[in-house]
């Protein structure tokens, strides 16, 4: 007998008929002899409706009362599904998060699961019942036993956490599309279904805007090796498998909070090339990286920060053995960029630094925990190490520092994050596979950008800024530090830009404004009219030309790239919000992801 956890999303249980259809499906599984735990979301758009009600009463309702309100949505659907099962003659019982014992932190509206008590669940399963559990909610570990929620879309996380705690044989996420597609089919009509995807790739896609899975659900599946599949609740098609490597056995105590950083990685074989003051117009990144791709040169990090006036800086890193060639390409292209009227001809220049090292912390546990990046910056500051470049993904923060500082950086970071295993060189390149270099694309329209200009360029500045934001529990996404330095009143300064969720934009601005004296009068700018488009694929490691292709596709549609950031398996660009959807469709097409199979999407 196997144990299966099935999760049904809002649309899948959106009406009486849908609940009855789900009950049939659950019963069919139970009749095969499998023990079944079902997790459900609130019906249809119930949660959105409850949010609207709250906002009609208060523009800024307290988070505790919001949890009290939103958790009711799931209580309705569990009861109805349980009744529907009983009507079919299938013994069933519904339980709220609190009744199960889904114990979370006391953080309202974004609680992380600490552990799940399994005794009651196991008892009911032994009695031959299907247990229907309310998704998205838990109970705090504090003596007040407060009702908490996990954050929007959190029922996926409830399901995978239950599967991990119960040692389930598989976790099935039923939704309104046939599985994980190369893009959101509501935005890209020719998106195609994938049979499988690695959890690393899915983690990036989910955190870059593909809401088909909650990123924390993917994180738990990866940490505990939960076999996870996403499929349609309308058909019997097999859906998409999310593949995780076999993990080290670990306790489910502190489920979502244990070990935020799992490894320290380093690469001392890197050199940096920066083009300063190139024109801020569509096509520049495409031209530069197009030339680099023609030479078959593989680049690692790419960073483009906010523009200043009408010019921009682009920096990238390469391995030392190809530095000379990358520098030559950049020097050759610079005059063409300088000749543009919009640039500052006297200022454009190529700078090269061969004495750098890239140090990274990695770990799925850092998702949504703003303190982790801040802790990395603070650790480097305490060791008096200046950060030259910062590049982030949801599961990795990489800093470029002077190579002479690398041993000290590794030692301090191992100490801070209690990493006893030896630091690992950044993973070697996998075999080249042109076909699957890019697996999927994603769009995030819910981000805002903050830029801080004129920050003193010395150890500790980044630590201060991200420490302040972390104190307010504001999660930061892309962080980009400009290459250009300006000397103001004898102090060398740089700019720093980063994105946060739109909901946190104003709060982040306030935090930074209040800290203005600490930041020595830096200037703070907020822009909510941005979109982030990204490509993801493990096959892009060690394959030149991927970035060039993305930038060229955007240039063809005259889309200006405002910021660029990369990790080994993704490239993200910030563009104008108005151009987000067309940018997404364009890059989907450019990487040959479009297909002819029509995917049906419920309206
Ligand atoms: P549920 O209520 O079942 O949890 P969600 O609305 O949270 O469903 O997630 C499913 C939706 O995710 C799909 O309807 C689709 O519009 C969207 N989506 C975004 N990116 C992707 C993608 N790459 N693959 C599939 N669906 C995606
Ligand atoms: N009902 C919650 C939401 O709409 C949780 C979920 O559906 O996953 O966000
Ligand atoms: Mg969902």
């Amino acid at each position: 007998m196997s144990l299966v956890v099935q999760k049904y999303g809002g649309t899948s249980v959106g009406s009486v008929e849908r609940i009855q259809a789900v009950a049939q499906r659950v019963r069919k599984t139970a009749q095969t002899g499998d023990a079944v735990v079902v997790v459900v979301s609130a019906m249809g758009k119930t949660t959105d409706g409850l949010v609207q009600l709250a906002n009609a009463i208060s523009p800024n309702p307290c988070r505790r009362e919001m949890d009290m309100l939103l958790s009711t949505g799931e209580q309705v659907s569990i009861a109805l599904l349980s009744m529907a099962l009983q009507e079919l003659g299938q013994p069933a019982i519904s339980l709220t998060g609190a009744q199960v014992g889904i114990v979370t932190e006391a953080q309202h509206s974004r609680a992380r699961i600490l552990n799940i008590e399994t005794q009651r669940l196991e008892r009911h399963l032994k009695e031959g019942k299907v247990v229907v559990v309310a998704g998205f909610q838990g109970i705090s570990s504090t003596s007040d036993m407060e009702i908490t929620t996990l954050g929007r879309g959190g029922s996926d996380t409830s399901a995978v956490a239950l599967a991990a705690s119960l040692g389930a044989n598989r976790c099935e996420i039923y939704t309104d599309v046939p599985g994980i597609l190369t893009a959101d089919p509501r935005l890209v009509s020719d998106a195609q279904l994938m049979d499988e995807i690695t959890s690393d790739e899915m983690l990036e896609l989910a955190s870059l805007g593909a809401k088909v899975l909650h990123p924390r659900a993917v994180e738990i599946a990866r940490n505990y090796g939960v076999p996870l599949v996403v499929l349609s609740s309308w058909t019997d098609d097999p859906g998409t498998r999310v593949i995780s490597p076999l993990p080290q056995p670990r306790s489910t105590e502190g489920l979502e909070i244990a070990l935020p950083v799992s490894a320290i990685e380093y690469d001392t074989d890197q050199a940096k090339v920066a083009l300063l003051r190139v024109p801020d117009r569509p096509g520049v990144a495409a031209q530069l990286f197009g030339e680099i791709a023609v030479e078959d040169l593989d680049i690692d990090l790419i960073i483009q920060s906010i523009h200043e006036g009408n010019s921009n800086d682009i920096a990238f890193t390469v391995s030392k053995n190809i530095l000379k060639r990358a520098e030559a390409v950049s020097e050759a292209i610079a005059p063409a960029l300088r000749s543009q009227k919009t640039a500052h001809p006297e200022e454009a220049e190529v700078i090269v630094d061969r004495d750098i090292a890239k140090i990274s912390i990695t770990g799925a546990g850092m998702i949504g925990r703003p303190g982790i990046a801040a802790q990395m910056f603070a650790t480097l500051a305490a060791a008096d190490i200046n950060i030259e470049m910062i590049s982030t993904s949801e599961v990795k923060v990489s800093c470029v520092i002077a190579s002479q500082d690398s041993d000290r950086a590794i030692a301090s970071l191992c100490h801070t994050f209690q990493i006893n295993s030896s630091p690992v060189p950044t993973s070697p390149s996998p075999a080249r596979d042109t076909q699957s270099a890019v697996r999927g694309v994603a769009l995030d329209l819910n981000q805002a950008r903050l830029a801080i200009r004129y920050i003193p360029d010395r150890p500790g500045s980044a630590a201060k800024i991200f420490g302040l934001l972390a104190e307010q529990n504001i999660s930061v996404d892309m962080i980009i530090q400009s290459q250009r330095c300006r000397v103001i009143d004898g102090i060398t300064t740089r700019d720093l830009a980063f994105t946060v969720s739109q909901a946190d934009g104003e709060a982040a601005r306030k935090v930074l404004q209040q800290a203005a004296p600490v930041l020595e009068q830096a200037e703070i700018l907020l822009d909510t009219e941005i979109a982030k488009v990204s490509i993801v694929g493990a096959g892009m490691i060690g394959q030149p030309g991927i970035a060039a292709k993305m930038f060229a596709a955007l240039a063809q549609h005259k889309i200006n790239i405002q910021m660029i950031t990369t990790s080994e398996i993704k490239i993200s660009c910030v563009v104008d919000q108005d151009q987000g959807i067309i940018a997404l469709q364009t890059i989907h097409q450019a990487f040959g992801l479009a297909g002819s199979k029509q995917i049906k999407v419920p309206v």
Side-chain angles (χ1 to χ4, degrees), residues 438-452:
V438 173
R439 303 295 315 284
V441 301
L443 173 68
D444 192 340
L445 293 171
N446 289 318
Q447 294 223 316
R449 177 183 55 214
L450 280 123
I452 318 174

Side-chain angles (χ1 to χ4, degrees), residues 194-316:
M194 300 182 223
D195 295 336
E196 58 176 51
I197 185 167
T198 65
S199 52
D200 281 341
E201 290 169 322
M202 193 56 222
L203 208 44
E204 292 278 8
L205 272 181
S207 52
L208 292 167
K211 73 164 187 169
V212 62
L213 275 180
H214 201 227
R216 282 162 49 192
V218 186
E219 171 197 357
I220 300 169
R222 183 170 85 158
N223 287 349
Y224 292 92
V226 176
L228 181 63
V229 53
V230 178
L231 58 182
S232 165
S233 66
W234 272 260
T235 68
D236 287 324
D237 296 335
T240 309
R241 275 170 296 132
V242 179
I243 312 291
S244 300
L246 210 60
Q248 300 279 352
R250 59 196 275 181
S251 149
T252 49
E253 232 11 78
L255 193 92
E256 280 201 89
I257 59 155
L259 271 200
V261 171
S262 51
I264 313 281
E265 293 180 357
Y266 67 93
D267 186 349
T268 46
D269 180 37
Q270 291 227 320
K272 176 178 82 176
V273 180
L275 268 91
L276 304 190
R277 301 176 185 89
V278 296
D280 180 38
R281 61 170 164 79
V284 169
Q287 209 176 335
L288 170 63
F289 292 101
E291 294 294 329
I292 288 173
V294 166
E295 296 289 316
D296 208 28
L297 300 176
D298 187 27
I299 41 185
D300 187 21
L301 297 181
I302 304 176
I303 286 183
Q304 179 195 303
S305 193
I306 43 164
H307 68 114
E308 175 164 17
N310 46 20
S311 80
N312 226 325
D313 305 336
I314 301 180
F316 58 94

Side-chain angles (χ1 to χ4, degrees), residues 94-394:
S94 63
L95 297 176
T96 63
Q99 286 174 311
V100 170
I102 299 181
V103 182
T104 73
E105 307 168 310
Q107 281 281 351
H108 285 293
S109 83
R110 55 182 116 187
R112 285 181 167 259
I113 299 174
L114 300 175
N115 72 290
I116 298 183
E117 283 155 28
T118 54
Q119 297 89 326
R120 182 161 181 197
L121 285 171
E122 280 157 354
R123 172 158 54 86
H124 292 311
L125 290 173
K126 259 203 204 104
E127 292 161 357
K129 289 182 181 151
V130 165
V131 188
V132 185
V133 179
F136 167 65
Q137 55 177 259
I139 185 128
S140 74
S141 57
T142 48
S143 56
D144 287 341
M145 300 180 84
E146 290 279 32
I147 292 177
T148 53
T149 67
L150 312 183
R152 295 302 305 270
S155 294
D156 300 334
T157 295
S158 311
V160 182
L162 277 161
S165 304
L166 289 162
N169 301 75
R170 60 184 196 277
C171 181
E172 301 170 341
I173 306 286
Y174 288 91
T175 185
D176 56 7
V177 285
I180 299 164
L181 308 175
T182 51
D184 186 340
R186 292 175 203 277
L187 304 177
V188 181
S189 59
D190 48 12
Q192 296 299 294
L193 181 67
M194 300 182 223
D195 295 336
E196 58 176 51
I197 185 167
T198 65
S199 52
D200 281 341
E201 290 169 322
M202 193 56 222
L203 208 44
E204 292 278 8
L205 272 181
S207 52
L208 292 167
K211 73 164 187 169
V212 62
L213 275 180
H214 201 227
R216 282 162 49 192
V218 186
E219 171 197 357
I220 300 169
R222 183 170 85 158
N223 287 349
Y224 292 92
V226 176
L228 181 63
V229 53
V230 178
L231 58 182
S232 165
S233 66
W234 272 260
T235 68
D236 287 324
D237 296 335
T240 309
R241 275 170 296 132
V242 179
I243 312 291
S244 300
L246 210 60
Q248 300 279 352
R250 59 196 275 181
S251 149
T252 49
E253 232 11 78
L255 193 92
E256 280 201 89
I257 59 155
L259 271 200
V261 171
S262 51
I264 313 281
E265 293 180 357
Y266 67 93
D267 186 349
T268 46
D269 180 37
Q270 291 227 320
K272 176 178 82 176
V273 180
L275 268 91
L276 304 190
R277 301 176 185 89
V278 296
D280 180 38
R281 61 170 164 79
V284 169
Q287 209 176 335
L288 170 63
F289 292 101
E291 294 294 329
I292 288 173
V294 166
E295 296 289 316
D296 208 28
L297 300 176
D298 187 27
I299 41 185
D300 187 21
L301 297 181
I302 304 176
I303 286 183
Q304 179 195 303
S305 193
I306 43 164
H307 68 114
E308 175 164 17
N310 46 20
S311 80
N312 226 325
D313 305 336
I314 301 180
F316 58 94
T317 65
V318 289
S319 59
K320 285 195 170 79
N321 63 345
I322 57 169
L323 172 64
K324 278 266 161 286
R325 288 166 63 206
E327 185 184 358
V329 173
S330 308
E331 286 288 5
I333 199 174
L337 298 175
R338 276 176 206 146
S339 67
Q340 298 297 323
K341 284 189 216 88
T342 46
H344 302 272
E346 70 291 356
E347 288 176 325
E349 61 175 317
V350 176
I351 54 170
V352 166
D353 187 349
R354 59 162 48 250
D355 295 317
I356 60 161
K358 181 177 75 170
I359 311 288
S360 314
I361 55 172
T362 69
M366 65 177 82
I367 295 177
R369 294 165 77 179
I372 305 297
Q375 231 178 329
M376 176 182 196
F377 304 146
T379 303
L380 295 176
D384 208 23
I385 296 169
N386 200 23
I387 304 170
E388 293 184 24
M389 288 165 88
I390 300 171
S391 167
T392 53
S393 85
E394 279 285 307

Side-chain angles (χ1 to χ4, degrees), residues 44 65 70 81 116 153 159 163 179 210 227 294 314 356 372 386 422 424 443 480 501 550 570 577:
E65 301 307 334
L70 298 194
L81 179 59
I116 298 183
V294 166
I314 301 180
I356 60 161
I372 305 297
N386 200 23
S422 11
V424 286
L443 173 68
I480 300 185
S501 76
M550 177 175 184
K570 73 126 197 239
Q577 187 147 64

